Amino acid sequence: MELMTHSSTFLLPNPPADDGPALTYALVILNRRLPRFTPLLWKHAQLRMCADGGANRLYDELPQLFPEEEALAIRKRYKPDLIKGDMDSIREEVLQFYKNAGTEVVDASEDQDTTDLHKCVAYVKDLPKLKNQNLCILAAGALGGRFDHEVGNINVLCRFPSMRIILLSDNCLIQLLPCSHRHEMRILSDYEGPHCGLVPIGEPSKSTTTTGLQWNLTNAEMRFGGLISTSNIVKGEIVTVQSDTDLLWTISIKKAW
Ligand SMILES: Nc1ncnc2c1ncn2[C@@H]1O[C@H](COP(=O)(O)OP(=O)(O)OP(=O)(O)O)[C@@H](O)[C@H]1O
Ligand SMILES: Cc1ncc(C[n+]2csc(CCO)c2C)c(N)n1
């Protein structure tokens, strides 16, 4: 079985060239308080998008991260490439501001069955210019607040299992570990951990094996209603995971670095 490696180098101001696969990042800003490291994610991303009301967050909250500078200057510097969604949350002044600045706007209000994050992921997936890239989507503001939205965001991971998508908040990240691969997480312990979790999603796991955790699993069963691995602790720099089902991997993000 092929190995997939993971490293949260998007949290580093200057990521080393040799740590993990070369990835092309696309940033999706959601309608939830922006993580404090959003400017760093922005810098790493080649494509920057707002999911509907996420544009309000960019407009309102990004200037607050640069209190010394003029809000207008920050808004002009952090102009998204695209705003997509059903457009029921973006404010008119925000829409007009970014339209005038040249942002592409895709109104998908006819689709009331998929979330705005889903719509953004579908857009990136089909972009010809990113076709042969090793793409990783960073979804900022995906956790905390409304539980229906959080679950909807997790469901997007499950609807696009072959894509690398990372849900981010100030406090933690979540990603899918597809069972088609075995996984190696290179832990950046100055930036993330030690708290972590492994949770079967969609169906119970009959056999999961890990290394590098305080409470490792060895051909262990996991299911909701039985054992799932929460409040686990990362030990050391590498965690490995192999499972017969897709799992969610979550790890805490440190408060300050
Ligand atoms: N509280 C939240 N927690 C996590 N993710 C959120 C939250 N609020 C919004 N999002 C994410 O941001 C995206 C855009 O949010 P927005 O508020 O524009 O969506 P919406 O479809 O208008 O929501 P609503 O259900 O309120 O109509 C959502 O698709 C979701 O992925
Ligand atoms: C069974 C079912 N439940 C909820 C919705 C509502 N919904 C789900 S995604 C979405 C778009 C949000 O931007 C909306 C309104 C639905 N369509 N079908």
Side-chain angles (χ1 to χ4, degrees):
M1 187 181 277
E2 216 181 311
L3 177 69
M4 198 173 193
T5 59
H6 308 267
S7 180
S8 308
T9 53
F10 49 82
L11 294 175
L12 302 176
N14 299 302
D18 59 345
D19 198 2
L23 297 175
T24 298
Y25 290 107
L27 173 64
V28 183
I29 294 188
L30 302 178
N31 191 10
R32 174 83 194 136
R33 190 159 63 84
L34 293 184
R36 65 193 183 286
F37 45 78
T38 301
L40 198 55
L41 305 181
W42 188 279
K43 187 180 94 163
H44 292 315
Q46 301 211 357
L47 184 77
R48 293 103 175 199
M49 287 170 288
C50 295
D52 189 8
N56 300 339
R57 302 289 177 161
L58 187 67
Y59 187 90
D60 296 337
E61 295 179 13
L62 210 72
Q64 295 168 16
L65 298 175
F66 300 92
E68 310 294 293
E69 295 185 55
E70 243 196 288
L72 182 62
I74 298 298
R75 287 178 187 135
K76 284 182 176 164
R77 193 185 316 154
Y78 290 90
K79 175 182 79 66
D81 300 298
L82 177 84
I83 298 171
K84 185 174 180 188
D86 65 359
M87 301 306 185
D88 62 350
S89 300
I90 187 170
R91 300 197 309 272
E92 190 55 33
E93 57 161 329
V94 175
L95 182 60
Q96 286 315 323
F97 179 87
Y98 289 124
K99 261 189 178 169
N100 291 338
T103 295
E104 183 186 352
V105 175
V106 180
D107 181 336
S109 50
E110 75 295 343
D111 175 1
Q112 288 297 309
D113 293 331
T114 64
T115 67
D116 297 321
L117 174 59
H118 181 119
K119 292 175 173 86
C120 287
V121 171
Y123 178 94
V124 180
K125 186 171 184 271
D126 295 337
L127 261 190
K129 71 172 177 181
L130 299 179
K131 215 48 207 176
N132 296 315
Q133 304 289 319
N134 200 354
L135 185 67
C136 178
I137 298 178
L138 304 171
L143 306 162
R146 266 176 54 186
F147 186 62
D148 62 329
H149 272 310
E150 293 181 301
V151 174
N153 293 336
I154 289 170
N155 191 41
V156 170
L157 304 184
C158 301
R159 292 185 84 153
F160 298 93
S162 63
M163 294 185 76
R164 284 181 188 257
I165 305 172
I166 303 179
L167 304 180
L168 286 155
S169 72
D170 264 325
N171 305 314
C172 73
L173 66 78
I174 304 180
Q175 66 188 96
L176 190 81
L177 303 182
C179 62
S180 52
H181 289 71
R182 57 197 176 87
H183 298 272
E184 182 179 284
M185 268 71 71
R186 299 180 186 164
I187 308 300
L188 302 175
S189 51
D190 287 344
Y191 298 83
E192 61 186 348
H195 303 285
C196 66
L198 269 178
V199 179
I201 191 84
E203 58 181 328
S205 164
K206 286 198 170 47
S207 179
T208 296
T209 299
T210 67
T211 64
L213 301 175
Q214 181 159 342
W215 289 276
N216 279 307
L217 301 158
T218 308
N219 297 322
E221 282 190 32
M222 285 198 290
R223 64 183 172 90
F224 275 93
L227 173 79
I228 61 170
S229 178
T230 57
S231 299
N232 213 326
I233 302 280
V234 167
K235 292 276 169 195
E237 290 185 346
I238 304 262
V239 171
T240 68
V241 179
Q242 187 166 349
S243 181
D244 61 330
T245 55
D246 293 351
L247 302 177
L248 294 178
W249 163 252
T250 181
I251 186 164
S252 53
I253 294 179
K254 289 193 169 159
K255 287 254 170 305
W257 56 76

